Amino acid sequence: MLIKRKRGWEIPEREATPEHIFEDRRRLAKLIAAGPILAAAAPLLGRAAFAADAPDPSAGLYPAMQNLRYRLDREVTAEKNATSYNNYYEFNTSKDVVSQAQKLPIRPWTVKIEGMVEKPMTIGIDDLLKAMKLEERLYRHRCVEAWSMAVPWTGFAMKDFVAWAKPASGAKYVVMKTLADKSSMPGLRQNPFWPWPYTEGLTMEEANNELAFLVTGMYGKPVAKQNGAPLRLAVPWKYGFKSVKSIVSFAFTDKRPKTFWEEVGPSEYGFWANVNPKVSHPRWSQATEEVLGKGNRVPTVIYNGYEEFVADMYKGMEKEPLFM
Ligand SMILES: Nc1nc2c(c(=O)[nH]1)N[C@H]1C(S)=C(S)[C@@H](COP(=O)(O)O)O[C@H]1N2
Ligand SMILES: [Mo]
């Protein structure tokens, strides 16, 4: 059941003023503050600024109604933390990717659906958004580096996307890839021997699990570039590296893919990557986690707290190599 209710994390300005108007006002204020020296350059500057953060054509779709089935046992992470402490290695390997990520070209953006499907196709992101039903979900996120957050994602159920894509009955996995664009992504040049594009995969059973979510928004707005605009995965019972960003293709296959991190460090990263406090990563104990923006550590729980939704899928598999 979907119920619209007021959310604590919405800041008052956003309630009163549509986002783009608010942004335009801020930009105008900045130009005015710059004063007469910039007056001559203003038309030019104005245009450049507009191109760099042009209004997102999907902005009107947000906020979407919250699905109250998915509840948190903790506070939502402050937006400024979730959008400024990021892993996005296509830009750089620090947590500070915000400024570089703004160069990510998110329109036009097309998504390929290929492999074992009834009809392979390429679809524009805005057409895909029209075909899917958006909702908001509050999800936990646990990085294998032992930090965590809780985010109001907006997007659509991956199982609805799978049904819509119509994979062949023999498909066993879905493989997702991130854009790999050398001109806008400096990380590709810094680590040229890594197996770009970033690749992740799920079994069909995992992709059809009700929790698997394809994200297009966060905090009641289109998802930020540094968080994986315009389309990223959220699989909250798995370590964060499974949640592939800026997806350009979904391929259905009967062969288990080699994922990006399995290829970079097979002794450190597995295909399953289910959150498990009892299995340490070679470099990080997984017993506890630091909550972003809070500075305290809390115990990590099996499947990141989503045991009731996902444990059945892994019955009898506890001995799998790198079942983290
Ligand atoms: N394409 C791509 N996807 C990625 C990553 C990346 O470097 N590149 N990092 C992963 C890791 S390790 C984590 S923890 C999450 C971080 O998502 P966030 O920046 O939105 O918190 O994205 C995941 N998806
Ligand atoms: Mo991560």
Side-chain angles (χ1 to χ4, degrees), residues 96-133:
D96 183 9
V97 304
V98 176
S99 73
Q100 285 177 315
Q102 300 322 301
K103 299 216 172 72
L104 182 70
I106 56 166
R107 291 294 187 290
W109 188 276
T110 56
V111 177
K112 276 201 172 114
I113 296 164
E114 54 196 354
M116 300 174 70
V117 282
E118 225 170 70
K119 217 187 322 142
M121 65 164 137
T122 300
I123 184 167
I125 185 68
D126 294 299
D127 291 328
L128 181 60
L129 279 164
K130 268 181 225 145
M132 296 290 132
K133 195 172 155 333

Side-chain angles (χ1 to χ4, degrees), residues 156-186:
F156 45 89
M158 187 162 188
K159 68 177 167 53
D160 293 344
F161 171 78
V162 168
W164 178 83
K166 298 198 178 75
S169 61
K172 294 195 174 76
Y173 300 91
V174 55
V175 183
M176 289 150 277
K177 290 185 195 294
T178 298
L179 177 74
D181 173 30
K182 281 207 187 85
S183 65
S184 61
M185 297 170 146

Side-chain angles (χ1 to χ4, degrees), residues 13-162:
E13 280 100 330
R14 294 237 159 77
E15 285 175 358
T17 314
E19 185 75 4
H20 63 281
I21 296 174
F22 181 60
E23 285 297 318
D24 284 348
R25 214 181 277 161
R26 271 211 330 227
R27 200 176 295 132
L28 193 64
K30 254 191 246 163
L31 279 175
I32 291 167
I37 297 168
L38 279 177
L44 195 70
L45 269 182
R47 217 177 307 143
F50 210 69
D53 60 316
D56 186 312
S58 70
L61 300 172
Y62 305 91
M65 278 193 289
Q66 190 178 102
N67 186 335
L68 295 174
R69 183 167 160 79
Y70 308 103
R71 291 176 182 281
L72 293 175
D73 62 344
R74 51 187 69 185
E75 263 175 67
V76 166
T77 299
E79 180 178 359
K80 66 170 185 334
N81 290 322
T83 56
S84 66
Y85 184 86
N86 302 101
N87 276 327
Y88 203 158
Y89 280 19
E90 283 84 345
F91 292 98
N92 69 64
T93 56
S94 82
K95 303 289 176 224
D96 183 9
V97 304
V98 176
S99 73
Q100 285 177 315
Q102 300 322 301
K103 299 216 172 72
L104 182 70
I106 56 166
R107 291 294 187 290
W109 188 276
T110 56
V111 177
K112 276 201 172 114
I113 296 164
E114 54 196 354
M116 300 174 70
V117 282
E118 225 170 70
K119 217 187 322 142
M121 65 164 137
T122 300
I123 184 167
I125 185 68
D126 294 299
D127 291 328
L128 181 60
L129 279 164
K130 268 181 225 145
M132 296 290 132
K133 195 172 155 333
L134 295 188
E135 64 181 43
E136 182 179 75
R137 296 185 183 186
L138 308 184
Y139 270 0
R140 293 158 64 143
H141 174 99
R142 171 63 159 77
C143 175
V144 74
E145 296 159 347
W147 55 267
S148 68
M149 59 181 181
V151 180
W153 299 119
T154 306
F156 45 89
M158 187 162 188
K159 68 177 167 53
D160 293 344
F161 171 78
V162 168

